[in-house]
């Protein structure tokens, strides 16, 4: 059935707003060319969007300065403000941004292990409130939160996971209670994959797997353009995957004996020390070459081969602090080792965003939520 006039207007408005988000300020003539709409239709939608306070004139284009289409239109960036948090076991990093995602302020705060749930939560909330106020964004529209652990697919809340601080779950509850904002929580690895797909190493890829390599081991699955979380929110928990070369088998209560045992940061640091590279795992991997990197790549390929056999993603991105530190040298070695273990062609790339991937994904999630609300037609 053909769309009603009101539906067609809503579709056209949404298309124009997405173009203004992706391309930046545009003239009416440029909107006409990019949308394929007629000049009168574009003129009507620009007038509507200006009237709704979503679009304003920000200048003139040099090429068309004399014509009516010379005005440059842009989204009103301060129509809404956003925040994103990257919640680690011992710290919180955050960014406050406008509706188009431009950073207004950022901050990081270490959280001492002995702080306790209540004080840790208050420190994190106070940091967000203070940073937002300094940025002139006291009323936030949407807040994206990235944290380790599983997200309950039914409630959208962090599940109670052993080994992770209790203040993580309480922080999300307190933010939802105290802020006049939508609070959206997601697993950190999933958010890193969102950012890599939109802005980084997997840009333009509909299907890929991100391997998170750090203190913990996990993965995020993007299949046919969609992030897959699994029936219980645990898709990608490959630290528990049984692999050869470990001390035994993993269990329901611990991933020792699984893939985690081979490649988590502590195991990598011990491996590096055996090759005369003392220090942290990240320090050992950065700039490494030779036998140490070959052995590490072989370990990673063993786990990656299991993922490839089941999913055939075509692309694996090495994320987390170790994946980013290893860079192209580690990625190329993993790809070569993987090619010897599976007949399925699989490219391996290093993260392009590094430590900023989780925060970037959380901000994209907050921005999408705000734009879905504000750009939607309202009666």
């Amino acid at each position: 059935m053909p769309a009603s006039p009101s539906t067609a207007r809503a579709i056209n408005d949404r298309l124009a707003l997405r173009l203004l988000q992706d391309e930046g300020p545009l003239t009416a003539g440029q909107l006409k060319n990019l949308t394929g709409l007629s000049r009168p239709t574009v003129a009507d939608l620009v007038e509507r969007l200006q009237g709704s306070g979503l679009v304003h004139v920000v200048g003139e284009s040099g090429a068309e300065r004399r014509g009516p289409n010379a005005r440059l239109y842009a989204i009103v960036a301060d129509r809404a403000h956003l925040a994103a948090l990257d919640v680690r076991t011992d710290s919180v990093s955050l960014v406050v941004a406008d509706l188009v995602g431009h950073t207004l302020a950022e901050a990081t705060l270490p959280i001492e292990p002995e702080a306790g749930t209540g004080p840790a939560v208050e420190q994190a909330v106070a940091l967000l409130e203070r940073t937002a106020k300094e940025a002139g964004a006291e009323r936030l529209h949407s807040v994206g939160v990235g944290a380790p652990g599983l997200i309950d697919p039914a409630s959208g809340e962090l599940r109670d996971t052993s080994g992770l601080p209790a203040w993580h779950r309480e922080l999300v509850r307190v933010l939802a209670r105290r802020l006049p904002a939508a609070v959206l929580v997601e697993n950190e690895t999933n958010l890193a994959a969102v950012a890599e797909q939109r802005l980084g190493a997997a840009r333009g890829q509909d299907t890929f797997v991100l391997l998170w390599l750090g203190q913990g081991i996990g993965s995020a699955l993007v299949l046919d353009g969609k992030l897959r979380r699994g029936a219980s929110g645990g898709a990608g928990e490959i630290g528990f995957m049984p692999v050869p070369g470990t001390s035994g088998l993993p269990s329901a209560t611990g991933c020792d004996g699984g893939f985690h045992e081979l490649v988590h940061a502590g195991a990598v640091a011990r491996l590096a020390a055996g090759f005369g590279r003392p220090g942290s795992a990240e320090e050992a991997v950065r700039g490494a070459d030779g036998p140490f990197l070959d052995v590490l790549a072989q370990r990673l390929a063993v786990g990656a081969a299991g993922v490839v056999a089941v999913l055939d993603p075509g692309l694996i991105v090495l994320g987390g602090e170790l994946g980013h530190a290893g860079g192209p040298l580690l990625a190329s070695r993993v790809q070569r080792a993987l090619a010897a273990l599976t007949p399925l062609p699989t490219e391996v790339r290093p993260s392009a965003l590094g430590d900023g991937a989780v925060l970037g994904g959380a901000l994209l999630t907050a921005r999408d939520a705000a734009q879905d609300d504000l750009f939607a037609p309202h009666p």
Side-chain angles (χ1 to χ4, degrees), residues 19 32-33 65 133 138 142 145 166 169 177 200 260 276 329:
L19 286 168
K32 172 182 176 297
N33 293 335
R65 191 172 294 278
K133 183 176 182 179
E138 296 184 52
S142 302
V145 181
R169 297 179 73 224
R177 189 166 62 243
H260 170 90
L329 280 176

Side-chain angles (χ1 to χ4, degrees), residues 2-26:
S4 66
S6 61
T7 300
R9 286 194 295 271
I11 292 171
N12 293 339
D13 290 356
R14 189 62 176 262
L15 175 58
L17 287 164
R18 286 301 180 198
L19 286 168
L20 289 170
Q21 167 67 62
D22 295 339
E23 305 294 333
L26 296 169

